Amino acid sequence: MKRSSFVSIFFLSVFFTGCIVAILSLSLGSVSIPLRDVIRVLLGDGGVENGWKIILFELRLPRICTSLVAGGALSVAGLGMQTLFQNPLAGPFVLGINAGASLGVALATLLAGSLASLGLATSSWLGSTVVLIVMMGVAGKVKNNTTLLILGLMIGYGVSAFVNVLIHFSSPERIQQFIVWSFGSFSSVSWRQLLFLVPAACVGFCAMLFFAKQLNALLLGEAYASTMGVSVYRVRLALIVITSLLAGSVTAFCGPVAFLGVAVPHLCRQALKTGDHRILIPACALSGGVLALTADFVAHMPGSAMVLPLNAVTSLVGAPVVIWIVLRSRRGGNVS
Amino acid sequence: MIKTIKQLLFIVVLLLFSCATVSCAEFSQVELDYARGFNVEEGNGYYVVTVYRPWGDSVEPESYLLIDRDKPIPLEYKNLHVIKIPVERIVTASMTMLPFIEKLAPQEALVAVGGKRYVYSEKIRNMDLPDVASDAGSGLRLDIEKLLALQPDVVFIYTYTAAEKESVDRLRKLGIPIVIASDYLEETPLGVAEWIKFVSLFLGKEKEAQSFFSEIAESYISLKSLASQSSDRPTVMVNAAIGGTWYVSGGQSWPAHLIRDAGACYLWSEVEKRGSVPIDFEKVVERALNSNFWINTSTWQSLAEGENEDSRYTIFRPFKEERVYNNNARVTSEGANDYYQQGIMRPDLILKDLISIFHPDLLPTHSLYFYRHLEERSFP
């Protein structure tokens, strides 16, 4: 089979899987709505009296959009970090963005007690931006990407420690609010918040695509990339800003969603057998979105009133799949 | 002859005196009407108090010997936790014990609290008490050195986990007289309020507690019967979502009992739980979209605050019709809420608020005490 047709088949099959899961997510959930009624209500006919219209338009549709955007954004950010650091364990949060966002949210919920959605997102954003500025300063001084990675992890640990101190001195109710935020969720995002999340993710995605060639060069090593005329320093700074935009925005609205950012790039590399970022970036965006949507569908346990924490589902269901795929592969999960 | 009469009189006086001393030392009987979490046995100069479930998942009860300061410890009870009564130096890390202590104990008896910033009572906040746990700590987070230095006669505390309970046992080995109060595990509001009798045993104020509780119970029962006269049963939704998941109170919880006793229909009465249960937002929409009232809405001070938190709250009928009430009329700037402190001791006051919300015609002159009516849909 020709390589281009293989790639097309991959994209089409992931797309159709996404469509099926989206249709299932619209119809099945804690409240089960027959498919023909879903179509009827979506076309503006009824569903007012039993709340189905609200469930579909205000809860399920925004959740589906959020899952697709957030999953895609985290996966693309993870891909960028894995390439930059040449480390298969790197993810969107290695630069301490997650810890910075947690600190912002911890300060807002644990000290101020405010959980207003946009206020929460803003505090999360502010937290990750502070870490971003620190990391950009560090990136300007440090020559080596591994050193940058270590420093990013250390800053993350330091910030997390500060969050722990805040938690230690907080009341149980506020701790509960913070812990629930840390579980991650696509359910709390409304249309109004999507107006912020979608443009941020789109800008991040396009910017990452713009750097696809430079990322390909980085796969051959920093020294080689430099000889090819790539300014490693500039790419490094750009990637830090893009990752912060992508991962920081998702964390602001959905909490620190684990696993997808690390796993999806591996899955795409394994499936497509390529290291070309011009293919991998859209592949990660699409597969990450579809996987996130599937995880959200499982977390809502159709037929039950209960909801599982999203992070538990992404990791518990996702980790064995990735382990299986990585072990099956002869290449053992190389980043290139 | 006269000498014999004198001797006889002396013996009679001696007998009478000794009987009098015995009857004084015999502690009065404590009757419990609603509380199911503890039991009291009276003895000669002591009480044996058993807390059946010191913490949520515990299987072993804990018994305390509350014994007169001058009495020797009876051999058969030497394995119990001993508290010398009446206590003169009290520490509490349990906020729900605080109103009982404030009601019954002399002011100087309270020597420290845990989680001082969560104290609502202005009187106690003005007492300049040392803080033995900055976060209203349970067993794991108490300041042991401070506790030892304070030499309290009793330390009231709550524990939620086995690890916290273990930590309490370690503190006891150091000689700190800890009592685990599990009033929050009671099912009914009057059951929780009756724990005032538990506290009274330590202070020797059983009669005061008895008469105070009888008044509360009488007031509660008469309010409940007033509410039952109304033929209208409005439906009530509670709480708010956190991260897209709605934590509703279980059907056996304290708020659920209060709602039903106030003559309303609690929407999750069939959920056989005492604590909160996480429920999907859409399940709440399905059931509560057209409910009549919405109460206990997190920390909102106004409808605008709720709308800002999640714009989807506006779809609920009580929100649209501005029939949302929150139990935070009495909170400090630090977030201490009197509903969870004085309200524990005065469920009748909460019930009165709820009846006046659900059936305003039954209590037309009542002005809300713990609750506030949330208005202002838009920002100023």
Side-chain angles (χ1 to χ4, degrees):
Chain A
M1 193 191 295
K2 269 174 69 182
R3 171 128 205 97
S4 58
S5 6
F6 178 72
V7 171
S8 310
I9 289 171
F10 172 85
F11 275 95
L12 278 175
S13 48
V14 176
F15 177 77
F16 281 115
T17 311
C19 290
I20 291 167
V21 182
I23 291 166
L24 285 176
S25 295
L26 277 175
S27 171
L28 301 173
S30 303
V31 178
S32 192
I33 307 176
L35 206 54
R36 61 172 177 280
D37 288 305
V38 171
I39 297 163
R40 195 169 57 82
V41 177
L42 287 181
L43 292 173
D45 175 22
V48 179
E49 63 297 330
N50 46 13
W52 283 356
K53 190 175 177 190
I54 288 166
I55 291 174
L56 284 173
F57 280 102
E58 297 296 326
L59 301 172
R60 291 190 182 172
L61 275 175
R63 206 170 70 215
I64 290 170
C65 293
T66 309
S67 311
L68 290 170
V69 172
L74 289 174
S75 307
V76 169
L79 174 72
M81 289 295 102
Q82 285 176 6
T83 304
L84 176 69
F85 294 121
Q86 295 283 295
N87 188 324
L89 288 177
F93 301 134
V94 284
L95 294 172
I97 290 163
N98 185 24
S102 298
L103 178 63
V105 171
L107 285 170
T109 54
L110 303 179
L111 291 185
S114 147
L115 250 187
S117 54
L118 283 178
L120 194 71
T122 313
S123 45
S124 169
W125 251 96
L126 282 176
S128 53
T129 310
V130 169
V131 173
L132 164 77
I133 292 166
V134 174
M135 283 313 292
M136 284 182 71
V138 172
K141 296 225 159 48
V142 175
K143 295 270 182 293
N144 183 298
N145 278 343
T146 312
T147 317
L148 183 66
L149 175 64
I150 293 168
L151 288 174
L153 287 172
M154 289 306 119
I155 289 171
Y157 280 128
V159 174
S160 299
F162 191 64
V163 172
N164 285 344
V165 172
L166 282 175
I167 289 175
H168 180 74
F169 288 108
S170 295
S171 68
E173 302 83 48
R174 287 182 181 180
I175 294 173
Q176 193 211 3
Q177 289 179 333
F178 180 75
I179 289 175
V180 169
W181 175 82
S182 72
F183 287 162
S185 166
F186 298 137
S187 308
S188 52
V189 182
S190 61
W191 290 120
R192 190 163 62 151
Q193 292 156 320
L194 273 167
L195 284 179
F196 294 87
L197 182 58
V198 172
C202 286
V203 169
F205 174 74
C206 293
M208 194 68 98
L209 264 185
F210 181 78
F211 283 96
K213 277 186 181 170
Q214 281 95 323
L215 286 168
N216 283 348
L218 268 183
L219 282 180
L220 303 167
E222 285 174 44
Y224 189 82
S226 301
T227 58
M228 285 174 74
V230 174
S231 163
V232 176
Y233 172 70
R234 268 185 50 204
V235 174
R236 192 195 278 169
L237 281 189
L239 276 182
I240 292 175
V241 176
I242 295 168
T243 306
S244 174
L245 181 69
L246 289 169
S249 311
V250 174
T251 310
F253 292 107
C254 311
V257 178
F259 184 76
L260 292 172
V262 178
V264 173
H266 288 292
L267 293 174
C268 290
R269 274 189 221 104
Q270 298 290 345
L272 291 162
K273 305 273 185 280
T274 179
D276 187 350
H277 284 79
R278 287 169 301 180
I279 298 170
L280 277 179
I281 293 170
C284 280
L286 185 64
S287 327
V290 172
L291 266 180
L293 184 62
T294 314
D296 182 69
F297 177 67
V298 175
H300 279 83
M301 297 203 294
S304 147
M306 300 289 195
V307 191
L308 292 174
L310 181 67
N311 279 339
V313 177
T314 51
S315 304
L316 278 176
V317 179
V321 176
V322 173
I323 292 169
W324 178 67
I325 288 172
V326 170
L327 288 179
R328 239 180 96 238
S329 146
R330 271 176 293 164
R331 295 205 296 175
N334 283 339
V335 289
S336 53
Chain B
M1 182 68 187
I2 291 168
K3 199 179 169 186
T4 324
I5 290 170
K6 272 184 180 171
Q7 275 174 339
L8 268 171
L9 271 172
F10 177 73
I11 291 165
V12 168
V13 168
L14 198 71
L15 272 172
L16 279 172
F17 184 72
S18 60
C19 284
T21 4
V22 168
S23 65
C24 275
E26 193 74 47
F27 279 16
S28 61
Q29 212 181 345
V30 176
E31 297 282 342
L32 296 176
D33 301 317
Y34 300 93
R36 298 283 172 266
F38 70 101
N39 174 52
V40 187
E41 286 170 43
E42 301 78 20
N44 184 7
Y46 62 84
Y47 286 116
V48 174
V49 182
T50 304
V51 176
Y52 294 121
R53 280 170 69 207
W55 50 288
D57 295 327
S58 59
V59 279
E60 295 233 338
E62 276 205 330
S63 293
Y64 301 91
L65 177 71
L66 276 53
I67 188 159
D68 199 292
R69 286 187 174 277
D70 309 323
K71 282 253 171 193
I73 297 162
L75 271 179
E76 67 264 41
Y77 297 127
K78 69 177 177 26
N79 290 330
L80 303 187
H81 307 297
V82 178
I83 309 282
K84 298 275 187 182
I85 54 167
V87 293
E88 284 163 5
R89 295 178 65 76
I90 307 170
V91 172
T92 183
S94 159
M95 283 296 142
T96 54
M97 289 285 110
L98 209 50
F100 300 142
I101 296 167
E102 192 180 3
K103 179 80 194 163
L104 297 175
Q107 187 165 350
E108 64 279 4
L110 188 65
V111 292
V113 289
K116 203 174 159 187
R117 62 197 169 115
Y118 302 115
V119 175
Y120 180 80
S121 160
E122 203 178 340
K123 197 175 113 194
I124 295 178
R125 268 185 288 130
N126 288 338
M127 276 166 66
D128 196 28
L129 295 166
D131 200 348
V132 291
S134 56
D135 52 351
S138 54
L140 286 170
R141 296 187 290 264
L142 288 172
D143 188 334
I144 303 166
E145 292 181 13
K146 221 181 246 180
L147 268 183
L148 285 169
L150 282 164
Q151 296 192 304
D153 295 328
V154 66
V155 178
F156 291 110
I157 193 176
Y158 63 88
T159 53
Y160 287 147
T161 62
E164 287 174 346
K165 168 67 175 56
E166 269 175 27
S167 150
V168 166
D169 290 337
R170 281 196 296 276
L171 296 181
R172 279 175 175 153
K173 283 193 181 127
L174 294 173
I176 301 173
I178 293 189
V179 170
I180 302 175
S182 53
D183 49 330
Y184 64 94
L185 291 174
E186 287 289 340
E187 204 172 293
T188 60
L190 282 176
V192 183
E194 201 168 15
W195 277 68
I196 194 170
K197 294 180 183 171
F198 180 82
V199 175
S200 76
L201 299 169
F202 294 85
L203 291 153
K205 297 278 179 78
E206 300 87 340
K207 289 207 170 72
E208 287 90 331
Q210 179 68 51
S211 71
F212 178 78
F213 179 73
S214 300
E215 275 174 39
I216 304 290
E218 213 170 285
S219 153
Y220 190 95
I221 302 289
S222 70
L223 282 165
K224 185 178 165 182
S225 114
L226 175 74
S228 68
Q229 286 165 18
S230 173
S231 55
D232 181 31
R233 285 281 174 279
T235 51
V236 182
M237 62 187 285
V238 296
N239 303 357
I242 306 176
T245 300
W246 207 294
Y247 289 79
V248 301
S249 308
Q252 305 303 322
S253 67
W254 196 64
H257 275 281
L258 281 160
I259 292 168
R260 285 191 293 260
D261 289 348
C265 170
Y266 177 51
L267 283 172
W268 287 274
S269 269
E270 89 287 359
V271 178
E272 287 187 1
K273 283 268 170 73
R274 289 184 195 179
S276 325
V277 190
I279 286 188
D280 202 350
F281 201 119
E282 58 187 47
K283 204 74 186 168
V284 178
V285 170
E286 188 192 41
R287 189 171 289 194
L289 188 63
N290 291 312
S291 57
N292 300 109
F293 289 96
W294 186 355
I295 63 166
N296 304 352
T297 52
S298 178
T299 53
W300 311 356
Q301 301 277 350
S302 66
L303 290 180
E305 211 173 307
E307 192 174 355
N308 186 37
E309 195 175 298
D310 195 327
S311 54
R312 294 170 299 188
Y313 290 143
T314 55
I315 59 181
F316 292 97
R317 188 172 141 202
F319 199 102
K320 284 182 191 155
E321 296 178 0
E322 300 193 357
R323 287 200 279 190
V324 183
Y325 294 81
N326 204 0
N327 53 9
N328 60 352
R330 295 164 64 81
V331 285
T332 63
S333 55
E334 293 272 18
N337 191 343
D338 203 26
Y339 175 87
Y340 297 107
Q341 288 176 30
Q342 204 200 157
I344 298 290
M345 187 170 75
R346 296 297 308 269
D348 57 324
L349 281 182
I350 301 179
L351 192 65
K352 209 169 187 178
D353 270 4
L354 291 178
I355 293 173
S356 118
I357 291 168
F358 304 144
H359 307 287
D361 50 315
L362 292 179
L363 293 168
T365 56
H366 177 72
S367 50
L368 296 178
Y369 187 74
F370 291 115
Y371 277 87
R372 71 160 80 230
H373 181 208
L374 302 189
E375 289 160 307
E376 308 107 41
R377 283 210 53 185
S378 51
F379 291 106

